[in-house]
Amino acid sequence: MVQKKATKAAAKKATGKKRAGKAAEPAVPREPLPAKPDQQGPETLTPTGRPTGAPRAAVAQSGAYFTTAQGARLYESDHSLKAGARGPVLLQDHHLREKITHFDHERIPERVVHARGAAAHGVFQGYGTAAKITKAAFLAKGVETPVFVRFSTVLGSRGSADTVRDTRGFATKFYTGEGTFDLVGNNIPVFFIQDAVKFPDVIHAGKPHPDREIPQAQSAHDTFWDFVSLHTEATHHTLWNMSDRAIPRSFRMMEGFGVHTFRLVNAKGATTLVKFHWKPKLGVHSMVWEEAQLTGGMDPDFHRRDLADAIEAGAHPQWELGIQTFPDTPEQSFEGIDLLDPTKIVPEELAPVRPIGLMTLNANPANYFAETEQVAFHPGHLVPGIDVTDDPLLAGRLFSYLDTQISRLGGPNFGQLPINRPHAPVNDMLRDGMHQTAVHTGTAPYRPNSLDGGCPFLAGADTGAFIEAPVALPAAAKVRDASASFDDHFSQPRLFWLSMTVVEREHIIAAYTFELGKCEEQVVRERVLAVLANIDPHLCGEVAAGLGLTAPAATQPLTEPDPSPALTQIRGTWPLDGRVIGIVAGPDADLRGVKSLRAAIVKAGMVPLVIAPTGGSLGTGKSPVAVQRTFAAARSIEFDALLLAGTRAVAADAHGTRDAKAGTPQPGDCDPRVLLLLAEAYRHGKAIGGWNGSAPALEAAGIAEDDPGVALADTPAAALKHVTASLAEHRAWNRFPTAI
């Protein structure tokens, strides 16, 4: 009887009798929709790395009908199986139990660090410029290698905001033909600590206080500053973290660093020490602090949305992979800088970055959990030609990452998840364990053996084996100690400070003042000031003044290094790919000019968004202007520049009861939300332009026509030209007043 009812219900839906217009639920069975054009899943390989030849969509759901996990079709899924319509639920309802049990286990333990992330697929093409120093095949000229890149914050949980002040992870998985290579780095080239034994300590200090579980995703609290002021090796990283580098404008405009020194090995066995760098084609660009705070409230998903939208729009972000190279000497130092100390950099003026390949991110993940959440990186995933050094922080990471993946992903077979599968043959003799999806054959998972024909066989140097570089080790006693060269904690922070422009120094002063102002313990603030005194007296004095404290004197001689221009973000001009231009317009605006302006912005590879009093469209006729944002919904943080089409329209919802940002507008005024939009964009150094009588709006917002980065013109094309000239420098930097 139940089966007959199910058959009738399905037949009724199939005939479409219940449909009542376009908004009705589709009734005719059909296969699942394909992925969007900007999306792709992992390549289809077997658990042991063998290409299947199947399309990527082959691992997605299939079939037009709803089924159990074992493929049995279901006729109903809105009601549990009961003893009568009002009776108790029956234990035999296998569908209910399967559905609820799986739901209960949908979440895996989030990463302790780097929990919040976003990712993309792409391709890496080698230039061949590293051929003389490494035999890594994926770096050879013209070789294309699939990659998967995950960007992340360090301290926050998965539910935290994107734009917090924090270090960003920049992890790249290269699916090479010789095995997987993971370059697991950050957007800051130095680390807080010099030895991995202190890694749990620095993370415990940076995480929310264990008694109240606050504050989330930030370092502005006592335990963090207590730790870093007691461990002055953290000073260099902390200074970077207080700079604009810790609040990037976009993942697409963020440098990446391997942090550690690695060892490259060429075909003849010769070795070279290197540091890896990712250089974004769009330049390095950051938010200003107020902008980052507003963004965290208005759009906590800002960075992941920006990355996904850019890829979907075809503005595929690119980075060049570069290396700094150093002779592999027994001292493992260069120009007096210890290359094994992860709190030190080598200025690019001393060792230029040589480009060795280009990475392009061209596809969004098809499923966040299966790819972005389950991807497992490990610094020990190496390929022939790339080896590690004796950096004590790297040594701990080589253990920790593997241990972490086993815990997070439920066992030792995490490498068999589709996103982690190597694109090279795998014959590892590892067997069984939780989530084993390979079906191994043979009877002898050991070697040597004769029962399986001797397979697997050992490889040699001539057949692509990974062979560790035979580095001589010093004869020494076992000690818990560090080299004396690790004791210099202040010369490189001073180099970073002296390399900043005046505007960037002001931002650093503000960041320290804000962060320490959130600390409750006086002794912590005083100890941090003592650290700052050993970097620069002006930095220390200004922060002390902001805290109402007396600046202490330096306890160590101040070095006078030559500044490194490569460390500043404020230099040069950059491509405008994917930048967002807000066009403020109303019914009385120059709509013909708006249409031509939108076309010009799109042609330039940017994104135009029309901001109007209401949604829908502006104008009448065959081609009205579509509206993407209303005065109520728009906020300055989502635009890189603003253009005014000459409107004084006030929206009907411009009153404080409907929208607190509107206040109480006066007759004849511009809409208060537009004035707020302009004022914020101006404070944040963004380019502003206009035409068609836009001057009154600028005047009402307190913006002078001749201010830096502000331009009124006779035509929309001329206004756009002025705005893009300023936008190429990221911001109108000379608009920011300084106290120096």
Side-chain angles (χ1 to χ4, degrees):
M1 187 68 177
V2 172
Q3 187 173 358
K4 286 184 178 180
K5 287 183 179 180
T7 303
K8 288 181 179 179
K12 188 174 183 180
K13 287 185 178 181
T15 59
K17 290 181 179 179
K18 293 181 70 176
R19 288 190 295 176
K22 293 182 179 180
E25 178 185 355
V28 179
R30 55 155 298 157
E31 291 290 316
L33 296 174
K36 295 178 180 179
D38 64 292
Q39 297 177 326
Q40 70 179 35
E43 289 195 28
T44 53
L45 301 105
T46 69
T48 53
R50 184 175 299 180
T52 66
R56 293 176 190 253
V59 297
Q61 65 270 33
S62 63
Y65 294 95
F66 187 25
T67 74
T68 67
Q70 302 305 314
R73 291 184 180 180
L74 296 164
Y75 71 90
E76 218 276 347
S77 189
D78 289 334
H79 303 93
S80 301
L81 189 65
K82 307 181 185 73
R86 295 176 58 79
V89 174
L90 300 178
L91 182 62
Q92 71 185 68
D93 189 347
H94 63 94
H95 172 53
L96 168 69
R97 286 185 287 116
E98 179 185 72
K99 188 174 181 180
I100 293 297
T101 298
H102 194 282
F103 172 77
D104 289 344
H105 297 273
E106 280 183 358
R107 294 294 174 265
I108 61 177
E110 73 174 29
R111 292 166 170 87
V112 177
V113 290
H114 299 279
R116 181 172 180 81
H121 293 275
V123 63
F124 176 84
Q125 185 173 49
Y127 289 164
T129 49
K132 292 183 178 180
I133 60 173
T134 179
K135 59 185 177 183
F138 78 98
L139 294 174
K141 186 175 183 179
V143 174
E144 291 192 351
T145 302
V147 297
F148 189 72
V149 180
R150 187 177 187 270
F151 304 102
S152 57
T153 53
V154 171
L155 292 177
S157 68
R158 276 193 61 191
S160 58
D162 279 348
T163 59
V164 295
R165 181 180 293 280
D166 197 0
T167 305
R168 299 303 190 282
F170 193 134
T172 307
K173 186 176 288 292
F174 297 83
Y175 301 98
T176 87
E178 297 180 300
T180 300
F181 170 55
D182 288 346
L183 183 56
V184 194
N186 290 328
N187 74 323
I188 290 177
V190 292
F191 209 70
F192 281 108
I193 52 175
Q194 296 169 325
D195 193 305
V197 74
K198 286 189 275 193
F199 188 76
D201 301 321
V202 68
I203 297 304
H204 288 166
K207 286 285 189 176
H209 290 198
D211 53 352
R212 300 186 180 185
E213 187 59 13
I214 54 175
Q216 173 62 238
Q218 57 183 296
S219 56
H221 56 93
D222 286 283
T223 58
F224 173 81
W225 288 102
D226 183 45
F227 179 88
V228 299
S229 62
L230 289 169
H231 293 77
T232 53
E233 68 198 67
T235 302
H236 195 190
H237 186 118
T238 303
L239 189 58
W240 278 77
N241 219 40
M242 293 302 103
S243 77
D244 294 340
R245 297 279 187 151
I247 43 175
R249 158 62 179 81
S250 164
F251 293 139
R252 301 178 293 125
M253 303 167 194
M254 194 172 77
E255 270 187 298
F257 304 90
V259 179
H260 308 287
T261 300
F262 290 82
R263 177 175 280 110
L264 299 188
V265 185
N266 69 12
K268 297 180 179 180
T271 60
T272 305
L273 300 182
V274 302
K275 284 184 175 290
F276 289 107
H277 296 250
W278 288 111
K279 297 286 188 180
K281 285 288 192 178
L282 297 180
V284 184
H285 183 33
S286 296
M287 293 182 168
V288 294
W289 181 228
E290 184 195 31
E291 184 184 13
Q293 291 176 299
L294 289 172
T295 305
M298 296 295 297
D299 186 4
D301 304 307
F302 184 84
H303 282 153
R304 60 173 63 184
R305 190 190 314 280
D306 173 87
L307 177 66
D309 286 352
I311 292 173
E312 184 177 8
H316 298 153
Q318 293 183 315
W319 289 260
E320 276 193 316
L321 179 62
I323 53 174
Q324 289 178 296
T325 61
F326 320 101
D328 190 358
T329 62
E331 296 78 20
Q332 297 181 81
S333 65
F334 181 78
E335 297 290 335
I337 300 168
D338 192 329
L339 297 175
L340 300 185
D341 184 349
T343 68
K344 302 290 196 305
I345 65 167
V346 177
E348 294 182 28
E349 291 75 19
L350 295 178
V353 176
R354 298 164 48 189
I356 61 173
L358 178 69
M359 179 173 71
T360 304
L361 298 185
N362 54 22
N364 288 310
N367 182 275
Y368 183 91
F369 178 81
E371 300 171 80
T372 308
E373 187 63 17
Q374 289 196 132
V375 66
F377 296 97
H378 177 31
H381 291 166
L382 302 165
V383 293
I386 304 177
D387 204 348
V388 298
T389 59
D390 295 329
D391 178 332
L393 177 63
L394 178 56
R397 293 182 72 198
L398 291 171
F399 169 81
S400 177
Y401 277 70
L402 179 61
D403 192 46
T404 294
Q405 309 307 350
I406 292 174
S407 175
R408 287 192 66 244
L409 300 174
N413 294 309
F414 60 85
Q416 295 182 17
L417 293 167
I419 192 62
N420 296 322
R421 290 179 181 177
H423 292 199
V426 175
N427 194 346
D428 53 19
M429 293 196 301
L430 303 176
R431 294 292 186 270
D432 306 337
M434 293 180 67
H435 312 303
Q436 174 62 258
T437 55
V439 183
H440 298 101
T441 59
T443 61
Y446 55 86
R447 65 163 317 281
N449 72 75
S450 61
L451 300 182
D452 283 346
C455 187
F457 299 91
L458 295 178
D462 58 336
T463 50
F466 179 88
I467 302 174
E468 290 81 2
V471 179
L473 299 178
K478 292 188 295 184
V479 294
R480 290 189 181 274
D481 202 353
S483 167
S485 58
F486 278 44
D487 292 338
D488 176 12
H489 299 165
F490 298 110
S491 65
Q492 289 219 331
R494 180 155 174 77
L495 166 67
F496 184 81
W497 169 260
L498 294 177
S499 301
M500 295 295 99
T501 62
V502 173
V503 170
E504 290 169 306
R505 292 185 191 181
E506 291 285 351
H507 290 171
I508 291 171
I509 291 169
Y512 270 106
T513 306
F514 175 88
E515 296 261 325
L516 296 175
K518 292 288 186 178
C519 293
E520 298 178 0
E521 299 293 337
Q522 177 84 349
V523 65
V524 172
R525 294 194 290 267
E526 291 176 348
R527 195 186 306 122
V528 176
L529 288 176
V531 172
L532 297 184
N534 289 327
I535 300 175
D536 187 83
H538 179 76
L539 169 62
C540 181
E542 291 298 302
V543 174
L547 298 174
L549 299 174
T550 302
T555 58
Q556 296 191 18
L558 298 179
T559 60
E560 295 300 331
D562 293 329
S564 171
L567 296 177
T568 176
Q569 295 184 100
I570 303 178
R571 54 190 172 92
T573 58
W574 308 97
L576 303 178
D577 303 24
R579 293 304 186 93
V580 180
I581 310 294
I583 306 172
V584 183
D588 59 333
D590 174 18
L591 298 185
R592 179 177 295 181
V594 171
K595 293 177 185 178
S596 66
L597 182 62
R598 289 179 59 187
I601 292 172
V602 170
K603 185 178 180 180
M606 297 183 290
V607 179
L609 296 179
V610 174
I611 311 164
T614 64
S617 59
L618 297 173
T620 58
K622 295 182 179 179
S623 56
V625 174
V627 174
Q628 287 80 40
R629 298 289 187 275
T630 64
F631 291 170
R635 199 67 188 260
S636 64
I637 56 100
E638 59 182 327
F639 308 107
D640 293 293
L642 292 174
L643 284 166
L644 302 175
T647 177
R648 295 183 65 82
V650 177
D653 63 347
H655 56 83
T657 305
R658 188 72 56 82
D659 185 353
K661 298 192 301 296
T664 305
Q666 300 300 315
D669 281 353
C670 292
D671 191 292
R673 280 84 56 89
V674 172
L675 300 182
L676 178 63
L677 194 70
L678 290 169
E680 285 180 353
Y682 181 83
R683 284 203 308 274
H684 302 158
K686 297 179 180 180
I688 300 172
W691 79 99
N692 189 37
S694 298
L698 293 181
E699 183 179 356
I703 300 172
E705 296 180 28
D706 57 352
D707 278 344
V710 179
L712 293 180
D714 296 329
T715 66
L720 178 62
K721 183 178 180 181
H722 287 295
V723 163
T724 52
S726 295
L727 192 55
E729 298 179 351
H730 293 317
R731 298 185 193 274
W733 293 111
N734 51 352
R735 188 188 296 168
F736 292 97
T738 62
I740 300 176

